[in-house]
PDB file of all heavy atoms in Angstrom:
ATOM      1  N   GLY Q 277      -7.203  -0.562   6.560  1.00 90.00           N
ATOM      2  CA  GLY Q 277      -7.385  -2.003   6.481  1.00 90.00           C
ATOM      3  C   GLY Q 277      -8.844  -2.392   6.406  1.00 90.00           C
ATOM      4  O   GLY Q 277      -9.225  -3.315   5.658  1.00 90.00           O
ATOM      5  N   TYR Q 278      -9.690  -1.704   7.161  1.00 88.00           N
ATOM      6  CA  TYR Q 278     -11.131  -1.971   7.125  1.00 88.00           C
ATOM      7  C   TYR Q 278     -11.704  -1.669   5.749  1.00 88.00           C
ATOM      8  O   TYR Q 278     -12.524  -2.438   5.205  1.00 88.00           O
ATOM      9  CB  TYR Q 278     -11.826  -1.129   8.190  1.00 88.00           C
ATOM     10  CG  TYR Q 278     -13.331  -1.165   8.134  1.00 88.00           C
ATOM     11  CD1 TYR Q 278     -14.027  -2.351   8.313  1.00 88.00           C
ATOM     12  CD2 TYR Q 278     -14.058   0.002   7.907  1.00 88.00           C
ATOM     13  CE1 TYR Q 278     -15.421  -2.383   8.263  1.00 88.00           C
ATOM     14  CE2 TYR Q 278     -15.441  -0.016   7.860  1.00 88.00           C
ATOM     15  CZ  TYR Q 278     -16.111  -1.212   8.038  1.00 88.00           C
ATOM     16  OH  TYR Q 278     -17.490  -1.227   7.984  1.00 88.00           O
ATOM     17  N   ALA Q 279     -11.283  -0.556   5.167  1.00 87.00           N
ATOM     18  CA  ALA Q 279     -11.786  -0.190   3.840  1.00 87.00           C
ATOM     19  C   ALA Q 279     -11.379  -1.228   2.797  1.00 87.00           C
ATOM     20  O   ALA Q 279     -12.190  -1.643   1.960  1.00 87.00           O
ATOM     21  CB  ALA Q 279     -11.269   1.193   3.455  1.00 87.00           C
ATOM     22  N   LEU Q 280     -10.120  -1.665   2.832  1.00 87.00           N
ATOM     23  CA  LEU Q 280      -9.661  -2.647   1.854  1.00 87.00           C
ATOM     24  C   LEU Q 280     -10.319  -4.004   2.060  1.00 87.00           C
ATOM     25  O   LEU Q 280     -10.586  -4.736   1.095  1.00 87.00           O
ATOM     26  CB  LEU Q 280      -8.141  -2.796   1.934  1.00 87.00           C
ATOM     27  CG  LEU Q 280      -7.312  -1.603   1.451  1.00 87.00           C
ATOM     28  CD1 LEU Q 280      -5.827  -1.853   1.696  1.00 87.00           C
ATOM     29  CD2 LEU Q 280      -7.557  -1.339  -0.024  1.00 87.00           C
ATOM     30  N   ALA Q 281     -10.607  -4.354   3.314  1.00 85.00           N
ATOM     31  CA  ALA Q 281     -11.142  -5.681   3.608  1.00 85.00           C
ATOM     32  C   ALA Q 281     -12.638  -5.778   3.373  1.00 85.00           C
ATOM     33  O   ALA Q 281     -13.127  -6.796   2.878  1.00 85.00           O
ATOM     34  CB  ALA Q 281     -10.816  -6.057   5.054  1.00 85.00           C
ATOM     35  N   LYS Q 282     -13.378  -4.716   3.716  1.00 82.00           N
ATOM     36  CA  LYS Q 282     -14.840  -4.831   3.715  1.00 82.00           C
ATOM     37  C   LYS Q 282     -15.543  -3.879   2.757  1.00 82.00           C
ATOM     38  O   LYS Q 282     -16.622  -4.195   2.254  1.00 82.00           O
ATOM     39  CB  LYS Q 282     -15.373  -4.586   5.135  1.00 82.00           C
ATOM     40  CG  LYS Q 282     -14.969  -5.661   6.136  1.00 82.00           C
ATOM     41  CD  LYS Q 282     -15.489  -7.034   5.718  1.00 82.00           C
ATOM     42  CE  LYS Q 282     -15.139  -8.118   6.729  1.00 82.00           C
ATOM     43  NZ  LYS Q 282     -15.595  -9.449   6.295  1.00 82.00           N
ATOM     44  N   LEU Q 283     -14.973  -2.721   2.499  1.00 79.00           N
ATOM     45  CA  LEU Q 283     -15.653  -1.746   1.648  1.00 79.00           C
ATOM     46  C   LEU Q 283     -15.291  -1.914   0.173  1.00 79.00           C
ATOM     47  O   LEU Q 283     -15.976  -1.366  -0.695  1.00 79.00           O
ATOM     48  CB  LEU Q 283     -15.330  -0.323   2.119  1.00 79.00           C
ATOM     49  CG  LEU Q 283     -15.693  -0.014   3.579  1.00 79.00           C
ATOM     50  CD1 LEU Q 283     -15.397   1.436   3.910  1.00 79.00           C
ATOM     51  CD2 LEU Q 283     -17.159  -0.345   3.861  1.00 79.00           C
ATOM     52  N   ARG Q 284     -14.191  -2.627  -0.099  1.00 77.00           N
ATOM     53  CA  ARG Q 284     -13.779  -2.944  -1.465  1.00 77.00           C
ATOM     54  C   ARG Q 284     -13.740  -1.712  -2.372  1.00 77.00           C
ATOM     55  O   ARG Q 284     -14.480  -1.620  -3.358  1.00 77.00           O
ATOM     56  CB  ARG Q 284     -14.727  -3.980  -2.076  1.00 77.00           C
ATOM     57  CG  ARG Q 284     -14.929  -5.223  -1.235  1.00 77.00           C
ATOM     58  CD  ARG Q 284     -13.685  -6.075  -1.203  1.00 77.00           C
ATOM     59  NE  ARG Q 284     -13.906  -7.324  -0.468  1.00 77.00           N
ATOM     60  CZ  ARG Q 284     -12.998  -8.247  -0.266  1.00 77.00           C
ATOM     61  NH1 ARG Q 284     -11.766  -8.047  -0.739  1.00 77.00           N
ATOM     62  NH2 ARG Q 284     -13.259  -9.339   0.405  1.00 77.00           N
ATOM     63  N   PRO Q 285     -12.906  -0.731  -2.079  1.00 78.00           N
ATOM     64  CA  PRO Q 285     -12.869   0.472  -2.931  1.00 78.00           C
ATOM     65  C   PRO Q 285     -12.209   0.171  -4.268  1.00 78.00           C
ATOM     66  O   PRO Q 285     -11.493  -0.817  -4.439  1.00 78.00           O
ATOM     67  CB  PRO Q 285     -12.014   1.444  -2.106  1.00 78.00           C
ATOM     68  CG  PRO Q 285     -11.109   0.546  -1.325  1.00 78.00           C
ATOM     69  CD  PRO Q 285     -11.924  -0.674  -0.999  1.00 78.00           C
ATOM     70  N   ARG Q 286     -12.453   1.030  -5.227  1.00 80.00           N
ATOM     71  CA  ARG Q 286     -11.790   0.899  -6.526  1.00 80.00           C
ATOM     72  C   ARG Q 286     -10.283   1.095  -6.363  1.00 80.00           C
ATOM     73  O   ARG Q 286      -9.839   1.973  -5.636  1.00 80.00           O
ATOM     74  CB  ARG Q 286     -12.324   1.947  -7.504  1.00 80.00           C
ATOM     75  CG  ARG Q 286     -13.629   1.567  -8.163  1.00 80.00           C
ATOM     76  CD  ARG Q 286     -13.955   2.574  -9.257  1.00 80.00           C
ATOM     77  NE  ARG Q 286     -15.137   2.184 -10.005  1.00 80.00           N
ATOM     78  CZ  ARG Q 286     -15.586   2.838 -11.081  1.00 80.00           C
ATOM     79  NH1 ARG Q 286     -14.939   3.918 -11.501  1.00 80.00           N
ATOM     80  NH2 ARG Q 286     -16.675   2.425 -11.713  1.00 80.00           N
ATOM     81  N   GLY Q 287      -9.536   0.276  -7.063  1.00 78.00           N
ATOM     82  CA  GLY Q 287      -8.086   0.375  -6.976  1.00 78.00           C
ATOM     83  C   GLY Q 287      -7.502  -0.253  -5.739  1.00 78.00           C
ATOM     84  O   GLY Q 287      -6.331  -0.018  -5.418  1.00 78.00           O
ATOM     85  N   GLY Q 288      -8.289  -1.067  -5.037  1.00 77.00           N
ATOM     86  CA  GLY Q 288      -7.790  -1.696  -3.822  1.00 77.00           C
ATOM     87  C   GLY Q 288      -6.619  -2.620  -4.082  1.00 77.00           C
ATOM     88  O   GLY Q 288      -5.662  -2.677  -3.307  1.00 77.00           O
ATOM     89  N   GLY Q 289      -6.666  -3.358  -5.181  1.00 78.00           N
ATOM     90  CA  GLY Q 289      -5.563  -4.247  -5.514  1.00 78.00           C
ATOM     91  C   GLY Q 289      -4.284  -3.486  -5.805  1.00 78.00           C
ATOM     92  O   GLY Q 289      -3.191  -3.897  -5.399  1.00 78.00           O
ATOM     93  N   VAL Q 290      -4.406  -2.361  -6.512  1.00 84.00           N
ATOM     94  CA  VAL Q 290      -3.232  -1.535  -6.810  1.00 84.00           C
ATOM     95  C   VAL Q 290      -2.657  -0.960  -5.523  1.00 84.00           C
ATOM     96  O   VAL Q 290      -1.429  -0.922  -5.332  1.00 84.00           O
ATOM     97  CB  VAL Q 290      -3.609  -0.404  -7.781  1.00 84.00           C
ATOM     98  CG1 VAL Q 290      -2.423   0.526  -8.006  1.00 84.00           C
ATOM     99  CG2 VAL Q 290      -4.103  -0.982  -9.100  1.00 84.00           C
ATOM    100  N   LEU Q 291      -3.548  -0.540  -4.619  1.00 82.00           N
ATOM    101  CA  LEU Q 291      -3.080   0.002  -3.341  1.00 82.00           C
ATOM    102  C   LEU Q 291      -2.342  -1.054  -2.534  1.00 82.00           C
ATOM    103  O   LEU Q 291      -1.308  -0.771  -1.919  1.00 82.00           O
ATOM    104  CB  LEU Q 291      -4.262   0.546  -2.546  1.00 82.00           C
ATOM    105  CG  LEU Q 291      -3.934   1.152  -1.175  1.00 82.00           C
ATOM    106  CD1 LEU Q 291      -2.940   2.289  -1.316  1.00 82.00           C
ATOM    107  CD2 LEU Q 291      -5.206   1.634  -0.488  1.00 82.00           C
ATOM    108  N   GLY Q 292      -2.850  -2.292  -2.524  1.00 78.00           N
ATOM    109  CA  GLY Q 292      -2.159  -3.361  -1.824  1.00 78.00           C
ATOM    110  C   GLY Q 292      -0.771  -3.607  -2.387  1.00 78.00           C
ATOM    111  O   GLY Q 292       0.189  -3.835  -1.640  1.00 78.00           O
ATOM    112  N   PHE Q 293      -0.664  -3.549  -3.730  1.00 82.00           N
ATOM    113  CA  PHE Q 293       0.658  -3.717  -4.362  1.00 82.00           C
ATOM    114  C   PHE Q 293       1.591  -2.579  -3.973  1.00 82.00           C
ATOM    115  O   PHE Q 293       2.777  -2.791  -3.700  1.00 82.00           O
ATOM    116  CB  PHE Q 293       0.505  -3.776  -5.877  1.00 82.00           C
ATOM    117  CG  PHE Q 293       1.813  -3.787  -6.614  1.00 82.00           C
ATOM    118  CD1 PHE Q 293       2.572  -4.948  -6.701  1.00 82.00           C
ATOM    119  CD2 PHE Q 293       2.300  -2.636  -7.217  1.00 82.00           C
ATOM    120  CE1 PHE Q 293       3.785  -4.957  -7.368  1.00 82.00           C
ATOM    121  CE2 PHE Q 293       3.509  -2.635  -7.890  1.00 82.00           C
ATOM    122  CZ  PHE Q 293       4.256  -3.806  -7.962  1.00 82.00           C
ATOM    123  N   LEU Q 294       1.075  -1.361  -3.926  1.00 84.00           N
ATOM    124  CA  LEU Q 294       1.905  -0.220  -3.549  1.00 84.00           C
ATOM    125  C   LEU Q 294       2.375  -0.321  -2.104  1.00 84.00           C
ATOM    126  O   LEU Q 294       3.498   0.090  -1.773  1.00 84.00           O
ATOM    127  CB  LEU Q 294       1.130   1.076  -3.763  1.00 84.00           C
ATOM    128  CG  LEU Q 294       0.817   1.443  -5.220  1.00 84.00           C
ATOM    129  CD1 LEU Q 294      -0.027   2.706  -5.283  1.00 84.00           C
ATOM    130  CD2 LEU Q 294       2.107   1.615  -6.021  1.00 84.00           C
ATOM    131  N   LEU Q 295       1.524  -0.869  -1.237  1.00 81.00           N
ATOM    132  CA  LEU Q 295       1.929  -1.049   0.155  1.00 81.00           C
ATOM    133  C   LEU Q 295       3.077  -2.047   0.262  1.00 81.00           C
ATOM    134  O   LEU Q 295       4.005  -1.861   1.056  1.00 81.00           O
ATOM    135  CB  LEU Q 295       0.727  -1.531   0.982  1.00 81.00           C
ATOM    136  CG  LEU Q 295      -0.387  -0.500   1.203  1.00 81.00           C
ATOM    137  CD1 LEU Q 295      -1.581  -1.156   1.875  1.00 81.00           C
ATOM    138  CD2 LEU Q 295       0.117   0.673   2.029  1.00 81.00           C
ATOM    139  N   LEU Q 296       3.004  -3.111  -0.533  1.00 79.00           N
ATOM    140  CA  LEU Q 296       4.107  -4.066  -0.553  1.00 79.00           C
ATOM    141  C   LEU Q 296       5.383  -3.421  -1.091  1.00 79.00           C
ATOM    142  O   LEU Q 296       6.477  -3.619  -0.552  1.00 79.00           O
ATOM    143  CB  LEU Q 296       3.737  -5.278  -1.404  1.00 79.00           C
ATOM    144  CG  LEU Q 296       2.712  -6.254  -0.814  1.00 79.00           C
ATOM    145  CD1 LEU Q 296       2.332  -7.300  -1.852  1.00 79.00           C
ATOM    146  CD2 LEU Q 296       3.260  -6.918   0.442  1.00 79.00           C
ATOM    147  N   ALA Q 297       5.241  -2.642  -2.154  1.00 82.00           N
ATOM    148  CA  ALA Q 297       6.410  -1.995  -2.747  1.00 82.00           C
ATOM    149  C   ALA Q 297       7.021  -0.976  -1.788  1.00 82.00           C
ATOM    150  O   ALA Q 297       8.253  -0.791  -1.761  1.00 82.00           O
ATOM    151  CB  ALA Q 297       6.024  -1.324  -4.060  1.00 82.00           C
ATOM    152  N   ALA Q 298       6.176  -0.313  -0.993  1.00 80.00           N
ATOM    153  CA  ALA Q 298       6.675   0.702  -0.067  1.00 80.00           C
ATOM    154  C   ALA Q 298       7.614   0.107   0.972  1.00 80.00           C
ATOM    155  O   ALA Q 298       8.541   0.780   1.452  1.00 80.00           O
ATOM    156  CB  ALA Q 298       5.509   1.404   0.621  1.00 80.00           C
ATOM    157  N   GLN Q 299       7.393  -1.161   1.324  1.00 79.00           N
ATOM    158  CA  GLN Q 299       8.245  -1.798   2.326  1.00 79.00           C
ATOM    159  C   GLN Q 299       9.622  -2.157   1.781  1.00 79.00           C
ATOM    160  O   GLN Q 299      10.506  -2.533   2.541  1.00 79.00           O
ATOM    161  CB  GLN Q 299       7.559  -3.058   2.867  1.00 79.00           C
ATOM    162  CG  GLN Q 299       6.241  -2.757   3.551  1.00 79.00           C
ATOM    163  CD  GLN Q 299       5.595  -4.003   4.120  1.00 79.00           C
ATOM    164  OE1 GLN Q 299       5.977  -4.497   5.170  1.00 79.00           O
ATOM    165  NE2 GLN Q 299       4.614  -4.520   3.430  1.00 79.00           N
ATOM    166  N   MET Q 300       9.785  -2.067   0.470  1.00 83.00           N
ATOM    167  CA  MET Q 300      11.075  -2.404  -0.142  1.00 83.00           C
ATOM    168  C   MET Q 300      11.979  -1.194  -0.335  1.00 83.00           C
ATOM    169  O   MET Q 300      13.125  -1.330  -0.748  1.00 83.00           O
ATOM    170  CB  MET Q 300      10.835  -3.071  -1.503  1.00 83.00           C
ATOM    171  CG  MET Q 300       9.976  -4.312  -1.435  1.00 83.00           C
ATOM    172  SD  MET Q 300       9.640  -5.019  -3.069  1.00 83.00           S
ATOM    173  CE  MET Q 300       8.447  -6.296  -2.643  1.00 83.00           C
ATOM    174  N   ILE Q 301      11.471  -0.001  -0.030  1.00 85.00           N
ATOM    175  CA  ILE Q 301      12.280   1.206  -0.198  1.00 85.00           C
ATOM    176  C   ILE Q 301      13.291   1.296   0.944  1.00 85.00           C
ATOM    177  O   ILE Q 301      12.914   1.234   2.120  1.00 85.00           O
ATOM    178  CB  ILE Q 301      11.391   2.462  -0.213  1.00 85.00           C
ATOM    179  CG1 ILE Q 301      10.368   2.380  -1.341  1.00 85.00           C
ATOM    180  CG2 ILE Q 301      12.240   3.722  -0.355  1.00 85.00           C
ATOM    181  CD1 ILE Q 301       9.383   3.525  -1.347  1.00 85.00           C
ATOM    182  N   PRO Q 302      14.572   1.429   0.665  1.00 85.00           N
ATOM    183  CA  PRO Q 302      15.573   1.533   1.744  1.00 85.00           C
ATOM    184  C   PRO Q 302      15.303   2.730   2.642  1.00 85.00           C
ATOM    185  O   PRO Q 302      14.905   3.806   2.181  1.00 85.00           O
ATOM    186  CB  PRO Q 302      16.897   1.703   0.979  1.00 85.00           C
ATOM    187  CG  PRO Q 302      16.629   1.121  -0.378  1.00 85.00           C
ATOM    188  CD  PRO Q 302      15.191   1.408  -0.666  1.00 85.00           C
ATOM    189  N   GLY Q 303      15.510   2.516   3.929  1.00 85.00           N
ATOM    190  CA  GLY Q 303      15.230   3.569   4.895  1.00 85.00           C
ATOM    191  C   GLY Q 303      16.062   4.819   4.684  1.00 85.00           C
ATOM    192  O   GLY Q 303      15.588   5.933   4.898  1.00 85.00           O
ATOM    193  N   ILE Q 304      17.301   4.671   4.236  1.00 87.00           N
ATOM    194  CA  ILE Q 304      18.162   5.839   4.067  1.00 87.00           C
ATOM    195  C   ILE Q 304      17.640   6.747   2.967  1.00 87.00           C
ATOM    196  O   ILE Q 304      17.773   7.975   3.041  1.00 87.00           O
ATOM    197  CB  ILE Q 304      19.616   5.385   3.770  1.00 87.00           C
ATOM    198  CG1 ILE Q 304      20.544   6.579   3.782  1.00 87.00           C
ATOM    199  CG2 ILE Q 304      19.687   4.622   2.468  1.00 87.00           C
ATOM    200  CD1 ILE Q 304      20.631   7.289   5.102  1.00 87.00           C
ATOM    201  N   ILE Q 305      17.012   6.154   1.935  1.00 89.00           N
ATOM    202  CA  ILE Q 305      16.438   6.971   0.868  1.00 89.00           C
ATOM    203  C   ILE Q 305      15.262   7.778   1.406  1.00 89.00           C
ATOM    204  O   ILE Q 305      15.121   8.975   1.129  1.00 89.00           O
ATOM    205  CB  ILE Q 305      16.000   6.088  -0.307  1.00 89.00           C
ATOM    206  CG1 ILE Q 305      17.234   5.435  -0.956  1.00 89.00           C
ATOM    207  CG2 ILE Q 305      15.223   6.887  -1.343  1.00 89.00           C
ATOM    208  CD1 ILE Q 305      16.901   4.502  -2.091  1.00 89.00           C
ATOM    209  N   MET Q 306      14.408   7.128   2.208  1.00 90.00           N
ATOM    210  CA  MET Q 306      13.293   7.844   2.815  1.00 90.00           C
ATOM    211  C   MET Q 306      13.794   8.918   3.770  1.00 90.00           C
ATOM    212  O   MET Q 306      13.214  10.010   3.854  1.00 90.00           O
ATOM    213  CB  MET Q 306      12.388   6.850   3.533  1.00 90.00           C
ATOM    214  CG  MET Q 306      11.759   5.807   2.627  1.00 90.00           C
ATOM    215  SD  MET Q 306      10.741   4.623   3.525  1.00 90.00           S
ATOM    216  CE  MET Q 306       9.468   5.682   4.171  1.00 90.00           C
ATOM    217  N   ALA Q 307      14.875   8.628   4.491  1.00 91.00           N
ATOM    218  CA  ALA Q 307      15.408   9.609   5.433  1.00 91.00           C
ATOM    219  C   ALA Q 307      15.891  10.867   4.713  1.00 91.00           C
ATOM    220  O   ALA Q 307      15.670  11.989   5.190  1.00 91.00           O
ATOM    221  CB  ALA Q 307      16.555   8.981   6.238  1.00 91.00           C
ATOM    222  N   MET Q 308      16.530  10.692   3.554  1.00 91.00           N
ATOM    223  CA  MET Q 308      16.978  11.848   2.788  1.00 91.00           C
ATOM    224  C   MET Q 308      15.795  12.686   2.297  1.00 91.00           C
ATOM    225  O   MET Q 308      15.829  13.915   2.297  1.00 91.00           O
ATOM    226  CB  MET Q 308      17.829  11.378   1.606  1.00 91.00           C
ATOM    227  CG  MET Q 308      19.165  10.760   1.973  1.00 91.00           C
ATOM    228  SD  MET Q 308      20.286  11.921   2.826  1.00 91.00           S
ATOM    229  CE  MET Q 308      20.061  11.407   4.534  1.00 91.00           C
TER     230      MET Q 308
END
């Protein structure tokens, strides 16, 4: 979070989108 907020790395926007997408994956799929 510190890196995304203050260090502004390359691809930070893409990483934020991936974090949002990761929360939409059903738990049972991850469990398998």
Side-chain angles (χ1 to χ4, degrees):
Y278 172 62
L280 291 175
K282 293 300 182 182
L283 302 183
R284 308 290 184 181
R286 278 188 175 185
V290 175
L291 180 58
F293 173 78
L294 292 177
L295 290 173
L296 287 173
Q299 299 182 78
M300 303 177 187
I301 301 175
I304 188 62
I305 294 178
M306 298 178 63
M308 292 297 100

